[in-house]
Amino acid sequence: MSAPYTTLPEFKYVRPKSLEEALKLLKENGDAAKVMNGGVGLIGFMRERLVEAQYIVDIKGIGELKKIEYVPGKGLLIGATVTGNELLEFFEKNPEVREKFRALYEAASHMADAILRNRGTIVGNILEGLPYVDIPGPAVLFDAEVHAVSLDGERWLPVDGLVLGPTMTQLSPGEIVTEILFKEPPAGSKSTYIKLQSRTEYGIVNLSALLSNAGSPGKRDVRLVVTAATQLPYRAREFEENLKKAERIDDVLEQEAEKLANSLDVIEDPYASAEFRKHLIKVLIIKAFKTLEVM
Amino acid sequence: MARTITLKLNGRMRTVEVEDNETLLEVLRDRLGEMSVKAACWKGECGLCTVLFNGRPVKSCMVLGVEADGGEVVTAAGISRDGELAPVQKAFIEHGAFQCGFCTPAFVVATHYFLQKNPNPTREEVKEFLSGILCRCTGYKQIIDAVMDAAKYYRKQ
Ligand SMILES: Cc1cc2nc3c(=O)[nH]c(=O)nc-3n(C[C@H](O)[C@H](O)[C@H](O)COP(=O)(O)OP(=O)(O)OC[C@H]3O[C@@H](n4cnc5c(N)ncnc54)[C@H](O)[C@@H]3O)c2cc1C
Ligand code: FES
Ligand code: FES
C-alpha cells in the first residue's frame, strides 16, 4: 500500500485572500479546481493519483476562516482552517467548554499525531471522507452542521449524511465550508470518545458516546456513534431509543450492545476481521456507558 | 508553473525558483541543499522530513514549497547558535540517542520546539509528542531519556 510516487502531478497553486475570490475561482474552474485546507489529506491523495486537479485553491490565506467561538446555548463554532492543535489549545484555555464537548476534545487529541495536527484541520478531517478518521464521530454525536457557501448561496448541512465515501461529499464543486457548528449538548451531559488502534495511527473501532440524566428514564439522553468499523459514521438511533426507555440502563446495556454490533455491516480488512470488530463494538459500548454513568 | 519565492531558512533570506507541485521537502533538499531534512515515506507517516515552519513543526512532504513564500523554515541545522549545539543536540550525543542517525535531525528539531513550549514534560507527554516520528534503530528509550534530560536546560532559559 506504499505510495508509488514521490512527486505530485502538475497543477497551478492559488492562494486567494478573500472568500469571494476563492469562490469565484471555484465557480470558474468547476471540477478542475480543488480546495486545499491543511493539505494533509489532499497532498497524499494527489501523490497517489487518487485526486486530480488543475487548480489548487489554498484557503489558508482567508483570515475569516480562522476562528473558534463558543456561544452559550448554541454551541461551538469552529472555522474551516482551524487545525487540530489550535482546537486543543483553545480547549486548554477554556476547560468548561472542553468538558461540554469532551468527546470532541478526546477525538482531536487522537487525530493523527502532534506534528500532523499543526496542519490537519477539523473540517478537512471530516471532508476527507475516510472511514477511520476521528472527528466525524463526535461531529455526529453533537449534531454538528457545516456552513457551505458558494457564489449561488449558502446552506447548513448536517455532518450525519454529509460524507458519501473517500473525498466524496454532498458538497458541490463550487462550495466551500466556512465553519462547523458543534451544537450545545444537553445540560449536565457527559461524553467520551474511545479509539481502539491496531499498529497504526488509525482506529479499527471508534466510538463516541453521550449520556445525561442516567437515573431518570423520562429525561435521560443517550447518544452513540460508531466510526472506523463502518464505512460511514453510524448514529445508532434505535440503540439510543431503547436505552432512553429502559428503567435502568444496566438492565439492557449488554443486550442492546450485542444487538447493535450484530446488526452492523462492518469493515473486514488486514487489521481486523469483521467478527473481531463486532466483538469490540459490543465490549466498548458497555465500557463507554459504564464510564459515563459514574462520571 | 514555475515561480520565485523568498523565505527565511535558518535565519538567512533565500530566494529560489520552485514549481507549484513541488513539496517543501523537495524544495529544501533539491533546491536549497538542506540535506539535514530526510526523505523516506513521502506520506506523512515517518516524520523524518519534519522542520519548523512558521514556528511549528510540520512534515515537509505534506506541505507545498510555494506555501513557504514569505515564511520561515528552521531545520536541525538551524537550531545551534554560533557554532554551539542546542541543548537537545548535546543530550542526544550524551545519551547515544541514535545508531544510524537517519532520524536524528527530525527528532532534535521537533524536541527543540517541544521543550521550549513544555520544559517540564512527563515521559508520557514526550512519547505522545514524538509518536509521529519513527526510529528503526534505538527502540526510543535513549531518545526519550535524552529529551527528559535536556529539559533542564530549557527550564533555565
Ligand atoms: C500518516 C497519517 C496519519 C493519520 N492519522 C490519522 C488519525 O489517526 N486520525 C485521523 O482522524 N486522521 C488521521 N490522518 C488524517 C488527517 O488527520 C487528515 O488528513 C486531516 O485532518 C485532513 O485535514 P486537512 O485540513 O489537511 O484537509 P485537506 O487535505 O486540505 O482536505 C481534505 C479534503 O477536504 C476538502 N476540503 C477541506 N477543507 C474544505 C473546505 N473548507 N471546503 C470544502 N472542501 C474542503 C479538500 O478538497 C479535500 O478533498 C492521518 C493522516 C496521515 C497522513
Ligand atoms: S517523508 Fe515526510 S513523513 Fe515520511
Ligand atoms: S537511529 Fe536509525 S532510524 Fe533512528
Side-chain angles (χ1 to χ4, degrees):
Chain A
M1 282 204 289
S2 72
Y5 303 94
T6 57
T7 54
L8 297 174
E10 275 184 35
F11 54 77
K12 189 171 182 296
Y13 170 87
V14 260
R15 189 180 173 104
K17 289 221 164 48
S18 71
L19 186 60
E20 177 88 25
E21 199 187 322
L23 292 172
K24 235 187 240 162
L25 279 161
L26 290 184
K27 177 143 191 164
E28 281 162 15
N29 296 291
D31 227 9
K34 293 277 184 290
V35 173
M36 174 163 112
N37 204 335
V40 177
L42 188 69
I43 291 176
F45 290 142
M46 288 197 296
R47 191 176 274 126
E48 296 190 35
R49 277 44 179 186
L50 299 172
V51 168
E52 275 184 12
Q54 267 168 284
Y55 292 91
I56 292 299
V57 181
D58 184 355
I59 58 173
K60 288 192 292 295
I62 306 171
E64 66 192 83
L65 303 185
K66 190 69 108 187
K67 63 156 188 197
I68 310 181
E69 192 187 349
Y70 171 63
V71 187
K74 187 173 175 203
L76 182 61
L77 272 168
I78 301 175
T81 57
V82 171
T83 63
N85 277 345
E86 284 165 347
L87 178 63
L88 292 175
E89 285 155 19
F90 171 86
F91 279 144
E92 210 169 289
K93 284 188 223 124
N94 299 274
E96 313 85 55
V97 185
R98 178 188 69 206
E99 290 317 305
K100 278 185 198 289
F101 296 93
R102 181 90 203 170
L104 172 62
Y105 161 68
E106 291 175 359
S109 315
H110 284 104
M111 183 181 121
D113 60 56
I115 300 173
L116 285 171
R117 282 199 293 272
N118 281 329
R119 294 274 297 178
T121 63
I122 298 299
V123 164
N125 187 273
I126 295 171
L127 297 178
E128 184 169 288
L130 295 175
Y132 33 73
V133 288
D134 289 302
I135 306 302
V140 173
L141 190 77
F142 293 113
D143 295 321
E145 295 186 359
V146 295
H147 191 207
V149 179
S150 73
L151 283 188
D152 303 319
E154 54 174 298
R155 54 182 179 152
W156 285 89
L157 290 165
V159 173
D160 196 3
L162 176 67
V163 166
L164 305 172
T167 74
M168 286 181 299
T169 66
Q170 303 276 6
L171 296 175
S172 49
E175 280 180 314
I176 290 179
V177 169
T178 56
E179 60 191 340
I180 181 167
L181 172 67
F182 289 79
K183 291 194 188 152
E184 178 91 11
S189 63
K190 308 279 178 206
S191 63
T192 191
Y193 184 70
I194 298 183
K195 173 177 186 176
L196 201 112
Q197 283 159 275
S198 150
R199 282 173 291 153
T200 67
E201 291 287 353
Y202 292 114
I204 51 178
V205 173
N206 300 343
L207 292 183
S208 311
L210 178 145
L211 181 64
S212 74
N213 295 311
S216 22
K219 290 197 285 173
R220 185 187 296 144
D221 197 357
V222 177
R223 298 186 199 170
L224 176 69
V225 185
V226 181
T227 47
T230 49
Q231 290 295 343
L232 299 174
Y234 183 81
R235 175 92 185 248
R237 305 260 178 205
E238 195 185 318
F239 170 94
E240 294 178 357
E241 287 314 311
N242 292 344
L243 250 70
K244 278 189 213 168
K245 283 196 308 233
E247 204 32 53
R248 288 177 44 227
I249 288 183
D250 289 351
D251 295 346
V252 298
L253 180 57
E254 197 166 328
Q255 163 201 336
E256 289 298 327
E258 177 150 10
K259 204 166 93 192
L260 172 64
N262 287 333
S263 72
L264 287 177
D265 189 7
V266 302
I267 294 173
E268 162 115 21
D269 65 15
Y271 296 111
S273 67
E275 198 189 343
F276 183 43
R277 280 197 167 91
K278 283 179 188 246
H279 172 73
L280 290 173
I281 292 171
K282 180 187 157 187
V283 298
L284 294 177
I285 289 176
I286 296 170
K287 182 177 165 193
F289 282 96
K290 295 254 183 223
T291 311
L292 289 174
E293 275 181 277
V294 296
M295 261 167 83
Chain B
M1 194 182 105
R3 64 175 89 203
T4 303
I5 65 165
T6 300
L7 70 156
K8 197 169 176 189
L9 173 61
N10 293 335
R12 269 179 62 204
M13 295 309 290
R14 304 283 295 266
T15 296
V16 61
E17 185 166 295
V18 305
E19 294 287 339
D20 282 10
N21 65 339
E22 274 176 289
T23 54
L24 181 59
L25 173 56
E26 292 161 281
V27 171
L28 288 170
R29 282 182 61 90
D30 304 341
R31 302 254 183 197
L32 293 163
E34 196 54 36
M35 294 311 195
S36 73
V37 187
K38 302 301 177 199
C41 73
W42 295 93
K43 57 198 292 196
E45 271 169 17
C46 72
L48 300 192
C49 62
T50 299
V51 300
L52 305 186
F53 177 41
N54 294 336
R56 288 183 185 248
V58 300
K59 298 186 178 180
S60 60
C61 69
M62 303 307 264
V63 176
L64 297 180
V66 285
E67 292 185 61
D69 194 13
E72 175 166 17
V73 174
V74 176
T75 71
I79 61 172
S80 50
R81 277 213 201 111
D82 306 324
E84 193 183 341
L85 295 178
V88 71
Q89 291 172 307
K90 289 184 195 162
F92 266 62
I93 296 171
E94 278 160 26
H95 287 266
F98 41 75
Q99 289 176 30
C100 78
F102 198 62
C103 66
T104 311
F107 275 110
V108 298
V109 79
T111 50
H112 183 66
Y113 162 87
F114 174 72
L115 289 174
Q116 281 174 338
K117 244 186 59 174
N118 184 359
N120 276 303
T122 61
R123 271 188 98 80
E124 269 318 301
E125 284 169 340
V126 173
K127 273 193 205 169
E128 172 58 33
F129 174 75
L130 292 178
S131 73
I133 310 178
L134 301 184
C135 172
R136 280 294 179 248
C137 303
T138 63
Y140 303 102
K141 182 183 178 298
Q142 296 89 332
I143 293 176
I144 296 162
D145 288 346
V147 177
M148 293 303 289
D149 193 21
K152 60 177 182 273
Y153 298 101
Y154 291 83
R155 287 195 283 273
K156 279 188 211 145
Q157 274 179 3

